[in-house]
Amino acid sequence: MSIRDHETARRHRRVAVERNRLTFGQAIAGILGLILVIVGGVVIARVGFDSITGDTTEVLGISHTLLLGLIDLFVGVVFLGAASSMYEVRGTLITLGGLALAFGAVVAIEPEPFVDYLGAGGPVGLAYALVGVVSLVAGLTTSTFVRSESTISDEVVEEDRTYI
């Protein structure tokens, strides 16, 4: 029997994809969300569910009712939800930032009607105005796209096969 050498060439294609894993907007949304969820949780734990606007507690120097604690918790959860997606964080930051800034401005300008319901007027307004400004700045400075690079490399592999 004769021995034959066959050379065959096969191509292997390797694709490497690189993406940003965290954007600036996601980091800010996550930080704002964590702060608001923690504050809301502490308020709820301290005040309890006996009265939604009757009992107050002070957290971070601001008097809170259960209603304000629930608002903090809800807004914080929305911020955390936005932080989980790099594609939707910009719109959520801009929308929530605008709403928080408007709410904070109204409460800061005219605090008296909100004291009975939220626990404090002016400090709550200033805190939410600050959250709104930070959220708006983060949303407006976050890019609308995510960097994605792919590298394709071809390599030729030569094989020697021997048949008997």
Side-chain angles (χ1 to χ4, degrees):
M1 295 206 109
S2 65
I3 298 175
R4 296 165 121 197
D5 291 328
H6 294 282
E7 288 187 17
T8 59
R10 285 189 306 172
R11 257 176 210 251
H12 290 274
R13 178 168 278 191
R14 294 180 186 179
V15 178
V17 177
E18 179 183 334
R19 291 186 179 97
N20 283 342
R21 297 179 191 243
L22 182 70
T23 64
F24 174 71
Q26 283 178 285
I28 296 299
I31 291 168
L32 289 174
L34 279 175
I35 291 170
L36 288 169
V37 165
I38 291 169
V39 168
V42 169
V43 169
I44 292 169
R46 287 184 184 172
V47 173
F49 288 99
D50 292 338
S51 174
I52 197 160
T53 59
D55 298 331
T56 62
T57 187
E58 191 168 309
V59 178
L60 296 177
I62 300 172
S63 180
H64 285 71
T65 62
L66 176 61
L67 177 62
L68 183 57
L70 291 172
I71 292 169
D72 289 344
L73 185 68
F74 176 76
V75 172
V77 167
V78 174
F79 272 123
L80 286 176
S84 68
S85 172
M86 68 179 97
Y87 300 107
E88 298 170 6
V89 70
R90 185 173 191 262
T92 305
L93 281 172
I94 292 171
T95 302
L96 279 182
L99 290 172
L101 182 59
F103 173 72
V106 168
V107 174
I109 291 169
E110 193 60 44
E112 288 304 315
F114 298 99
V115 171
D116 292 337
Y117 298 105
L118 302 179
V124 171
L126 293 177
Y128 265 91
L130 179 65
V131 167
V133 168
V134 169
S135 180
L136 276 171
V137 168
L140 292 172
T141 58
T142 298
S143 62
T144 56
F145 61 90
V146 178
R147 188 181 104 216
S148 177
E149 296 177 8
S150 61
T151 305
I152 300 174
S153 64
D154 289 329
E155 74 181 49
V156 176
V157 178
E158 294 186 15
E159 293 182 347
D160 291 332
R161 291 189 182 173
T162 306
Y163 296 99
I164 305 180

